[in-house]
Amino acid sequence: MDVYYQSADHSRSSKEEGGMRMAIKGVRGSFVGVHLPGKSSSWQLRVTAYEFTHKEVIHAFAAAVERGVDVKIIHHVKGSHRPKTRYNDVVKDKDGKVVKEWVPDKTTSDTQHAIDAVGFQSLDHARIWHHDTFIERHTSSIMHNKFIILLRDGKPVEVWTGSTNFTESAFYGQSNVGHIVRDEDVAQHYLSYWDKLALDPPGRSKRHSGSSHDEDAVPMDEINQQLQPDPAGAQPHDTMAVFFSPRKTSGLLDWYADRMGDAADSVHFTAAFGVSQPLAHVLNQDGKPSPSHEVGVRRSPRIARRIKTDDKLLRYILLDSQPSEHSSEKSRASAKKKGRGNDYCDYFDFKKLKSNRIAYGAVLSGRMEEVEDGASSSEHLESLTGLSTFVDFFHTKFMMIDALTDNPTIITGSANFSIASTEQNDENMLAIQGDTAVADVYFTEFMRLFDHFYSRDKRNESLGKGSKSPRAWIDVVEDDSWMKKFFDPSHQLFRERVLLS
């Protein structure tokens, strides 16, 4: 099993040898250099793609077609019918009715342009590429999957999955994960799901008006629910489960919340698009005490004997951006209007708890300085790549429960831990139980990102409070006063010291 990360700042690489090989390096390298097979007609690739515009990736698939690999790619195709115009005038038919035409959404349009831009020396290969390789997925809310299944002689052998779209933004502009699972049973689960998606059945039980298929076609939410009933309780140790969406209910999201609520030592959670209500309610509880920090935590017995505390767990949350109070008030008012105002909670509730450490994406900002003639200038310390238009920092979707114990839980994939990703979109998730090697890779990358952005958040916050100098936040403390909070049981950093000891 291999795990690959990409971050907006840089990528790293390391490797552990053994029965299960772990790797962490650039996602693009994992895809182009690891997953695509060599020259042989015995290989097949079955792919799903939401955003599909990265030239190097597309040319890698095209090159595979030229090598004789059987490539099939399901991709997102959505749009809407809009009034047809000609020379800025609305077109009408002979009866005076407005003529409408189907207009693809931007994701669909950009993908099609990228596909059409590929050139081939052989007409046969061009025909295969344009007529036999791509399968359109019309009838889901969003075809949000991004995975690749590798088959040999029709038998699935491994899967590449995760949060990474096939775009420059995903590879160079955001934090993303690519996770290779070399397990034939898991690969078969993905292939069975892919085969169903390829028929383009309706996504949900309520038929989509845009579907061109038989109204009696079984929708994907029913298929997924039949093949994978919602799990109950914690997974057995040393197991891996696969979950696909859409589903008939949000029961799977509740299961994720239950797993978060079961945490005894730690939670590490990335939320690119906010925190859904089931998870927010768990984060808004101060947790339950760990029964003993001596049981199950992977630390030396010498250290364990010195740690005698019943302090509650510590939860780390990475958000793509700092939530807006205005948006929070609107959501709270909407919930109240629907009679659920007392049950609503969000970032502005759970950020107050000492159990929760929260960081969000940000660049270092400079102070506004007055210059001549009353004008002002700002010091630009960092900037974004400009490749991302919607998610600037964290596009990963994963959760770790008790990552530093001998029975960690890792939940990772394409879904955003939301109602929409559970009930409406085409999505896939892995739930890995008890694999400490995988947990260590995810944990290392999470904490690298958390520390990177938490420090920026605090520095920017100090400037916002009127600090006289950007240096004030990082000035050296020349006595031992900085240590006190690490030994104060009421402080978050005390809990962190205990957790990481």
Side-chain angles (χ1 to χ4, degrees), residues 261-382:
D262 286 344
D265 281 276
S266 65
V267 172
H268 297 79
F269 174 51
T270 66
F273 296 92
V275 181
S276 63
Q277 286 299 292
L279 300 178
H281 278 285
V282 176
L283 295 175
N284 201 36
Q285 300 170 12
D286 216 7
K288 55 187 179 183
S290 172
S292 171
H293 283 275
E294 298 182 33
V295 178
V297 179
R298 290 180 283 139
R299 55 168 59 100
S300 73
R302 179 182 62 83
I303 295 293
R305 283 195 299 271
R306 293 170 55 189
I307 298 171
K308 302 291 186 180
T309 177
D310 290 326
D311 282 290
K312 298 172 184 178
L313 78 154
L314 195 55
R315 294 179 290 226
Y316 294 79
I317 304 137
L318 268 174
L319 305 175
D320 185 63
S321 60
Q322 185 176 21
S324 157
E325 288 193 55
H326 177 68
S327 295
S328 173
E329 290 169 359
K330 285 180 63 177
S331 298
R332 200 176 298 275
S334 176
K336 187 175 182 180
K337 196 172 183 180
K338 296 174 183 178
R340 298 196 295 266
N342 292 334
D343 295 329
Y344 180 86
C345 67
D346 62 14
Y347 163 83
F348 292 97
D349 298 303
F350 61 72
K351 75 170 185 176
K352 304 169 185 175
L353 273 66
K354 291 180 180 178
S355 297
N356 299 330
R357 297 201 76 196
I358 303 171
Y360 43 83
V363 295
L364 286 174
S365 60
R367 288 183 60 80
M368 298 295 294
E369 301 290 347
E370 291 188 5
V371 294
E372 294 181 3
D373 301 325
S376 63
S377 66
S378 179
E379 179 186 5
H380 296 283
L381 302 179
E382 292 181 329

Side-chain angles (χ1 to χ4, degrees), residues 408-428:
T409 303
I410 306 99
I411 302 170
T412 183
S414 70
N416 286 298
F417 298 102
S418 65
I419 295 290
S421 67
T422 306
E423 296 185 3
Q424 300 174 21
N425 302 345
D426 293 340
E427 308 273 9
N428 71 97

Side-chain angles (χ1 to χ4, degrees), residues 191-249:
L191 181 60
S192 298
Y193 177 62
W194 188 96
D195 286 340
K196 297 292 186 181
L197 291 176
L199 300 175
D200 196 21
R204 306 184 67 187
S205 300
K206 183 178 180 181
R207 302 297 190 261
H208 287 243
S209 59
S211 174
S212 60
H213 296 269
D214 188 335
E215 289 188 356
D216 294 329
V218 180
M220 283 304 301
D221 61 352
E222 292 187 13
I223 292 171
N224 290 329
Q225 207 74 34
Q226 290 170 4
L227 293 176
Q228 303 172 307
D230 291 336
Q235 283 177 257
H237 182 74
D238 198 23
T239 60
M240 182 185 305
V242 185
F243 302 114
F244 299 113
S245 297
R247 307 179 71 81
K248 290 181 71 66
T249 72

